Amino acid sequence: MSLESIDRVAVLGAGNMGHGITEVTAMAGYDVTMRDIKDEFVEDGYESIKWSLEKLEEKEMIDESAEEVLSRIDTTTDLEEAVADADLVIEAAPEELDLKHEIFTDLEEYTSGDTLLATNTSSLPISDIAEAVDTPERVLGLHFFNPPVKMDLVEVIYGEDTSDEAAEAGYEWVESIGKTPIYVRKDVRGFVVNTIVGPFGGEPAFMVSNDEATIREADATMAHERGYPMGPFELGDLTGIDVGYHVRKEGDSPIPPITEEKVEAGDLGQKTGKGFYDYEDGDGADYEPEDAGDFDWLRVEARMINRAAFLVGEGVATPEEVDTGVQLGLGFPEGICRRGDKIGLETVLEKLETLYEETGADRFEPHPYLEELVEEGKTGEEAGAGFYDYGDDELGPYHDLNYELEDGVLQVELDRPSRMNALSEDLLSEIDDLFSSVDTDEVRVATIEGSGDRAFSAGADISGFADTAPTDMMDVTPGFETVNEFPRPVLAKIDGFCLGGGLELALACDLRIATERSSFGAPEIGLGLIPGGGGTQRLTRILGETRAKELVFRGNHIDADRAEDWGLINRSVEREDFDDTVGEFLDDLRSGPPIGLKVAKKVMNEGQDASLDAALVMESQGFGLLSSTDDVLEGTAAFAEDREPEFEGK
Ligand SMILES: C/C=C/C(=O)SCCNC(=O)CCNC(=O)[C@H](O)C(C)(C)COP(=O)(O)OP(=O)(O)OC[C@H]1O[C@@H](n2cnc3c(N)ncnc32)[C@H](O)[C@@H]1OP(=O)(O)O
């Protein structure tokens, strides 16, 4: 049982999750059979896949045609036929344990002992489902999020008997389809993501029930001040108030009175036209930033951080896994462990202790792991350690970016795919920190790219704006300047949206290569703003006033071909040629003379703002300085000997 042994996949269920999983599996190049119990279910699922693939093809988000992807999908209503040759089966049937038992009993009969058996359940224990088979070691959870085509995260869940071999094969398979897996090492209710999200909706509902807050206060604070993609009540209305209600009921968790009232009245949210907000006779979730008041957000976040302490302390997941889970699965602006470390775990613990003392409610009882961290003085970033270690003997830890330094190439990936790699305060300071602390002797060239398949970066993180002081908003530039002044060439690899602050970051790089589908713009004017990370100045210098003003004043996007035509980027290339073109640039830059490139960059950057006379002096000083380097001796010797030079940066 390994990734190499997985060629054919069967997905059982053609509903929202089933057909979505089928689609992403086929998109990754696997042959897949989608099975449901009735022809009409299978046909509906297939039509939805076809529609979605055609949209993706239209937007150039897939490298092949919709037809080619569809040619890898078979459909059937016959379970045995669907799974007979499958190496991996993913069950995505309704959430009824008896039904899943029936399916897994049949799977034991129809599949070979080597077939990996996965369930996409979001609420049933994997171990309970695995009871139906004699070989529970090959049963695991692969929990996709809705819709699978859009959502990057998959939880890979161990049941009590799941073997490491099976879990690893599942994990690697998830990576092979371009999704991000996280391990859930124990079969806990809610796995990782739903464990954390519980208090996000639940605690504000208790507070409103107790007249300690209003719905609008809670939503406005959490969305506009704490940066969550939407307020807890808006979220409840969107997912269905009854859904959260049933999860609590099944888990024997106390139910907030307001939730109970809504369910009893049949006001279940958007689907019934009314929930916490009125969508028929009212304006829906119409809260505004000024509704925030003094809502006690710490009470909500302290409970989520306590749940994170449970997950980490009990060995269910690492802080990195918890944080990846909430960012990709829930669109949280940053990881919840990271947030705890920033708030200070002693503050979190104190909040929980006070509430526990005042109310006696179990949900506030601090988890021993949280107490342990605080007792050991690991109270967060300021103390140098918390959930994470912030020791300063190495780079990072970085939460919003990834980097790799190999063979002289520093590859930096902006890692906030659920927010289109929008530049949060953290991400900006991590860029600043990395480019100012990395050992430049080890680096010959750096690249910056976005993670996910949609954007280089869609600009500064708008969700943080309402709560940001004007002085902090003006703090965008230092990170970009560090990149601009980095003594090695920096190349922006752009595939997708490159907007606002994202464009400004790309402009701070020396070279820009983009895929044809990419688009560029300075949309800040639409927000009542102007570019604040060097955009007004660098655009004018690079494009000239006419084109720069068009971009800044109109706020429109231009495509990559026009961007190349205007000189905004060096190359616009087809996606399939992207890596090769970048590779050709990198080969030249990596083998070029480090000091020569450094001086060229400095003189060209600084010369732009000097008079021509002064700039020419800078150039000749640089020229003179280089003439005494070993690299120049090597370059001229290599020329005379008709060989490639080997520059050492001396
Ligand atoms: C000094 C610098 C200042 C600035 O940079 S100001 C910001 C300038 N940038 C912008 O104004 C661009 C804002 N974004 C957009 O216009 C759109 O997005 C796109 C055109 C890039 C894509 O649109 P679509 O395909 O419909 O996707 P989606 O649902 O809007 O975005 C997917 C998720 O990404 C989040 N997101 C996108 N851009 C930002 C951003 N700049 N800050 C924070 N989040 C962003 C969204 O909210 C959403 O998230 P969810 O799925 O949770 O709803």
Side-chain angles (χ1 to χ4, degrees):
M1 225 175 283
S2 67
L3 174 64
E4 288 69 43
S5 61
I6 301 176
D7 284 327
R8 257 208 102 78
V9 179
V11 179
L12 308 181
N16 272 346
M17 294 310 293
H19 81 244
I21 297 170
T22 303
E23 183 178 352
V24 293
T25 304
M27 276 163 63
Y30 287 96
D31 289 322
V32 49
T33 303
M34 178 172 72
R35 182 260 179 186
D36 211 318
I37 51 172
K38 288 189 185 168
D39 284 330
E40 64 203 79
F41 295 165
V42 172
E43 280 156 23
D44 284 354
Y46 190 81
E47 279 311 308
S48 303
I49 296 176
K50 188 162 175 279
W51 179 88
S52 163
L53 287 172
E54 282 167 357
K55 285 268 160 248
L56 292 171
E57 184 183 352
E58 219 174 278
K59 292 189 192 163
E60 292 181 39
M61 288 175 68
I62 44 178
D63 292 335
E64 47 186 357
S65 68
E67 214 174 302
E68 278 170 289
V69 179
L70 284 168
S71 71
R72 289 194 284 273
I73 301 177
D74 285 334
T75 57
T76 180
T77 51
D78 185 323
L79 180 62
E80 184 172 359
E81 181 190 319
V83 303
D85 296 328
D87 309 302
L88 165 66
V89 178
I90 305 174
E91 166 274 312
E95 294 284 59
E96 293 159 28
L97 187 59
D98 290 345
L99 174 64
K100 292 193 193 266
H101 274 170
E102 268 173 44
I103 294 172
F104 274 77
T105 307
D106 288 342
L107 287 180
E108 179 108 295
E109 186 181 338
Y110 299 145
T111 62
S112 86
D114 283 344
T115 309
L116 202 56
L117 303 180
T119 168
N120 179 54
T121 185
S122 59
S123 58
L124 298 168
I126 311 302
S127 316
D128 289 1
I129 295 172
E131 275 170 4
V133 297
D134 294 333
T135 49
E137 62 277 7
R138 62 182 174 129
V139 178
L140 75 157
L142 288 182
H143 180 216
F144 286 75
F145 288 73
N146 196 12
V149 169
K150 204 175 158 205
M151 301 294 284
D152 215 17
L153 183 75
V154 180
E155 291 179 311
V156 178
I157 308 135
Y158 275 80
E160 264 168 38
D161 298 310
T162 308
S163 67
D164 285 338
E165 197 190 352
E168 277 159 25
Y171 188 98
E172 286 172 12
W173 179 78
V174 170
E175 285 184 317
S176 79
I177 62 166
K179 300 280 172 197
T180 305
I182 56 166
Y183 278 124
V184 182
R185 291 183 184 74
K186 289 186 184 163
D187 197 1
V188 296
R189 177 174 283 280
F191 311 137
V192 165
V193 170
N194 289 336
T195 294
I196 302 291
V197 82
F200 180 74
E203 198 51 39
F206 278 113
M207 291 160 81
V208 170
S209 304
N210 299 342
D211 285 333
E212 291 165 310
T214 68
I215 288 175
R216 279 185 176 72
E217 266 170 16
D219 276 0
T221 305
M222 298 311 273
H224 295 299
E225 296 193 349
R226 301 302 292 164
Y228 295 92
M230 64 183 81
F233 293 99
E234 183 184 5
L235 179 66
D237 276 355
L238 185 74
T239 49
I241 299 173
D242 52 327
V243 175
Y245 172 86
H246 288 301
V247 170
R248 284 173 189 284
K249 213 160 178 111
E250 279 159 25
D252 264 343
S253 304
I255 296 171
I258 188 173
T259 307
E260 191 118 40
E261 280 159 30
K262 294 286 172 195
V263 172
E264 273 166 19
D267 294 337
L268 305 180
Q270 284 192 21
K271 62 185 172 190
T272 59
K274 209 171 165 195
F276 295 118
Y277 295 93
D278 193 338
Y279 299 85
E280 269 170 9
D281 303 324
D283 296 328
D286 55 356
Y287 57 91
E288 303 287 345
E290 50 277 15
D291 291 327
D294 54 3
F295 178 74
D296 187 359
W297 55 262
L298 180 57
R299 175 162 162 179
V300 184
E301 290 190 355
R303 282 202 53 214
M304 292 196 282
I305 294 161
N306 199 31
R307 292 261 179 119
F310 155 73
L311 292 170
V312 177
E314 302 295 329
V316 179
T318 62
E320 288 85 354
E321 286 162 343
V322 173
D323 283 359
T324 300
V326 298
Q327 284 178 280
L328 296 185
L330 301 168
F332 276 18
E334 64 188 344
I336 197 68
C337 295
R338 170 79 183 129
R339 191 155 269 196
D341 279 358
K342 280 164 86 178
I343 294 171
L345 297 182
E346 77 286 18
T347 308
V348 171
L349 180 61
E350 199 182 307
K351 183 81 188 172
L352 291 166
E353 282 171 345
T354 309
L355 287 162
Y356 190 38
E357 222 171 271
E358 279 171 13
T359 64
D362 289 346
R363 65 182 192 278
F364 296 118
E365 187 177 357
H367 188 272
Y369 183 66
L370 181 64
E371 294 174 324
E372 193 183 304
L373 285 175
V374 174
E375 268 162 35
E376 289 172 5
K378 295 182 174 171
T379 52
E381 188 168 13
E382 257 182 39
F387 281 108
Y388 292 98
D389 199 347
Y390 298 87
D392 51 13
D393 49 339
E394 55 179 42
L395 295 173
Y398 299 124
H399 305 274
D400 287 353
L401 64 76
N402 304 314
Y403 77 92
E404 209 176 287
L405 176 52
E406 215 180 294
D407 294 336
V409 182
L410 173 66
Q411 287 179 284
V412 181
E413 185 186 59
L414 314 176
D415 189 23
R416 302 188 74 220
S418 64
R419 296 267 163 140
M420 300 236 180
N421 303 314
L423 302 163
S424 60
E425 255 179 88
D426 266 9
L427 177 50
L428 282 166
S429 65
E430 288 176 7
I431 293 170
D432 193 12
D433 186 76
L434 175 62
F435 278 90
S436 42
S437 334
V438 69
D439 180 359
T440 45
D441 288 344
E442 299 290 317
V443 181
R444 301 287 279 254
V445 56
T447 62
I448 303 182
E449 65 195 291
S451 65
D453 58 2
R454 301 218 49 208
F456 173 75
S457 166
D461 191 327
I462 299 173
S463 56
F465 277 13
D467 193 33
T468 311
T471 42
D472 292 338
M473 278 185 69
M474 283 151 52
D475 230 17
V476 180
T477 323
F480 295 171
E481 288 314 293
T482 310
V483 170
N484 193 240
E485 287 162 16
F486 187 63
R488 302 283 179 253
V490 185
L491 184 148
K493 290 173 63 180
I494 302 160
D495 182 26
F497 291 109
C498 180
L499 304 174
L503 174 62
E504 292 171 303
L505 175 60
L507 294 175
C509 299
D510 303 294
L511 300 161
R512 292 164 281 283
I513 298 178
T515 56
E516 273 179 343
R517 69 172 192 142
S518 302
S519 60
F520 301 81
E524 289 91 338
I525 206 74
L527 302 167
L529 285 167
I530 61 167
T536 57
Q537 303 312 307
R538 286 211 170 91
L539 281 171
T540 311
R541 282 165 175 73
I542 293 172
L543 302 182
E545 181 182 332
T546 313
R547 287 170 171 166
K549 282 190 173 159
E550 179 177 336
L551 281 182
V552 173
F553 289 7
R554 298 185 74 193
N556 292 344
H557 299 185
I558 59 168
D559 64 25
D561 287 342
R562 174 161 298 186
E564 185 188 41
D565 194 33
W566 282 12
L568 183 65
I569 59 175
N570 297 78
R571 298 282 188 283
S572 160
V573 293
E574 284 184 22
R575 254 184 129 195
E576 60 208 43
D577 300 329
F578 188 48
D579 287 340
D580 285 348
T581 310
V582 169
E584 286 163 17
F585 272 66
L586 292 185
D587 284 346
D588 288 342
L589 299 169
R590 187 173 30 194
S591 56
I595 312 181
L597 286 164
K598 175 177 162 178
V599 171
K601 177 168 176 169
K602 194 171 166 67
V603 168
M604 291 171 87
N605 280 0
E606 292 179 8
Q608 292 185 55
D609 297 322
S611 67
L612 183 60
D613 282 349
L616 290 174
V617 172
M618 275 187 230
E619 185 190 72
S620 46
Q621 281 174 346
F623 187 82
L625 182 98
L626 287 169
S627 58
S628 61
T629 61
D630 289 355
D631 279 353
V632 168
L633 293 178
E634 166 63 7
T636 43
F639 178 75
E641 292 159 22
D642 200 16
R643 60 170 173 82
E644 289 300 316
E646 282 181 28
F647 295 117
E648 288 183 13
K650 290 181 189 157

